[in-house]
Amino acid sequence: MSRKDKAGASRYLLGGAGLALLAVLIIIGIMNLRTAAPTLAGPAEPGLSDVILYVDEEPVTRQEFQLYMDKEKGAVTNYFSVTYQAEDQPDYWTSDFGGERPIELLKSRAADEAVKGKLLQSIALSKGLVQHISYEQFLQDFADNNSERKQDASQNKAVFGLGQYEQSQFYFYTLSNLRLELEELMGKGELQVTDAEIEQVYQAHAQDYQGQTRLEIEELSVPYAGQEEKSQALLTIQAALGQVNSGESSAGVSDSNAHIRLTRHTAIDAGQFSPLSSEGLLLQSAMKLEEGSWSSIMDAGDRYSIVQLVNKTENYEVPIEEVASQLKAEALHLKFETYMLEQVQQNDIRLSTGNYDSITTP
């Protein structure tokens, strides 16, 4: 294997393992939170009139709480539509439907999620992953991020992700990335996954790893950043496609041009990759090929690529070794969810009832 092969070698694993257990754990956690969380009686403390709840003394302000309400609004309206055939009407949010009111369910769901979000931030702070978790500082980071993106775009620099984020988008994007960082960090320590746990997950979903289609793929790609590099990358990959279609080997094409990367992938197709992801794009293209043939040029967002289907194996029973990294990730995810639910029970969750009750509109 050439140096480029080693540097680029990777494996795309597309298991279909479900997360039913995770859903059950989340539901249990929410139920326990509602019954176990102590509350602050009466009005909020002086000077903290905008605080809705506290997570171990860390406040969730009205402005921050609103983001969670906005996020949960769709699920709540869908629930009342399906359960009570409730439609939009005057005073919809405070109307009674079968003994339930939309605004109360919305606030309850938002509180559950806000507690988990602030707790996640607090743990990340204690682990040194972040230096602050106040909403005021988040707003400053949000403004700085959009300002930097705008400046980069004006200077024709590469801008990854959205050109400009809305406040809610940036908040939950940041929270999601923080969770991944924290999960990875704790997976190396107190939440380290054992071989027995990997085996347990595999056995629980063994049927998902039977009768699969296994693909061996070669990818030639040319990365780019910015419009000028993109134009040159397209010309380079077009020339590479002409070379392989003329019979030259992928290794020969890669060795002849330092800008062209050769990557060999093994993929298990269980229909789980998003067709919008670069991995899904490669997989879908390879699935349509005859063995030995090359695809047309694809734009993966940060590179131009062509792929060759080297080998295709039907009715493949995936061995545990081939999906070990995916199984480990799922086992860690479940362990982290359990850990977070335990933290919800162990930390001081206090609701500022005066401010909470005063919310009557989403």
Side-chain angles (χ1 to χ4, degrees), residues 97-156:
F97 300 97
E100 296 186 278
R101 294 197 303 161
I103 190 62
E104 296 304 328
L105 180 59
L106 177 61
K107 291 193 297 182
S108 177
R109 289 177 62 101
D112 290 334
E113 293 303 310
V115 164
K116 290 187 286 186
K118 187 58 67 176
L119 186 56
L120 180 73
Q121 293 172 333
S122 295
I123 297 171
L125 180 66
S126 71
K127 299 286 186 182
L129 291 179
V130 293
Q131 284 69 53
H132 63 80
I133 58 173
S134 72
Y135 190 69
E136 291 74 17
Q137 186 59 51
F138 159 76
L139 291 176
Q140 184 61 55
D141 291 345
F142 166 66
D144 291 345
N145 180 272
N146 272 348
S147 177
E148 183 178 346
R149 287 172 176 276
K150 184 177 181 180
Q151 182 177 356
D152 286 347
S154 68
Q155 297 174 357
N156 294 320

Side-chain angles (χ1 to χ4, degrees), residues 75-238:
V76 171
T77 56
N78 183 65
Y79 168 78
F80 278 89
S81 175
V82 172
T83 306
Y84 303 110
Q85 291 75 53
E87 299 179 355
D88 190 19
Q89 62 183 54
D91 301 323
Y92 166 82
W93 289 99
T94 54
S95 297
D96 185 283
F97 300 97
E100 296 186 278
R101 294 197 303 161
I103 190 62
E104 296 304 328
L105 180 59
L106 177 61
K107 291 193 297 182
S108 177
R109 289 177 62 101
D112 290 334
E113 293 303 310
V115 164
K116 290 187 286 186
K118 187 58 67 176
L119 186 56
L120 180 73
Q121 293 172 333
S122 295
I123 297 171
L125 180 66
S126 71
K127 299 286 186 182
L129 291 179
V130 293
Q131 284 69 53
H132 63 80
I133 58 173
S134 72
Y135 190 69
E136 291 74 17
Q137 186 59 51
F138 159 76
L139 291 176
Q140 184 61 55
D141 291 345
F142 166 66
D144 291 345
N145 180 272
N146 272 348
S147 177
E148 183 178 346
R149 287 172 176 276
K150 184 177 181 180
Q151 182 177 356
D152 286 347
S154 68
Q155 297 174 357
N156 294 320
K157 294 182 180 179
V159 178
F160 299 98
L162 300 176
Q164 294 283 284
Y165 280 94
E166 294 180 1
Q167 191 178 124
S168 179
Q169 290 174 323
F170 189 68
Y171 182 89
F172 290 109
Y173 168 77
T174 302
L175 197 64
S176 176
N177 284 343
L178 187 60
R179 178 196 173 96
L180 292 175
E181 290 181 47
L182 184 58
E183 195 170 300
E184 181 181 2
L185 176 65
M186 297 184 71
K188 298 175 182 178
E190 57 264 56
L191 297 182
Q192 189 168 9
V193 174
T194 66
D195 291 341
E197 289 168 330
I198 292 176
E199 174 72 26
Q200 186 177 18
V201 175
Y202 180 77
Q203 293 300 332
H205 305 290
Q207 70 278 7
D208 295 326
Y209 299 110
Q210 298 174 2
Q212 300 299 329
T213 299
R214 183 178 187 269
L215 307 177
E216 293 178 43
I217 305 167
E218 284 190 342
E219 175 192 6
L220 288 174
S221 62
V222 182
Y224 62 78
Q227 191 59 44
E228 184 176 345
E229 285 190 18
K230 185 175 183 178
S231 299
Q232 183 57 50
L234 179 58
L235 294 175
T236 302
I237 200 67
Q238 286 173 337

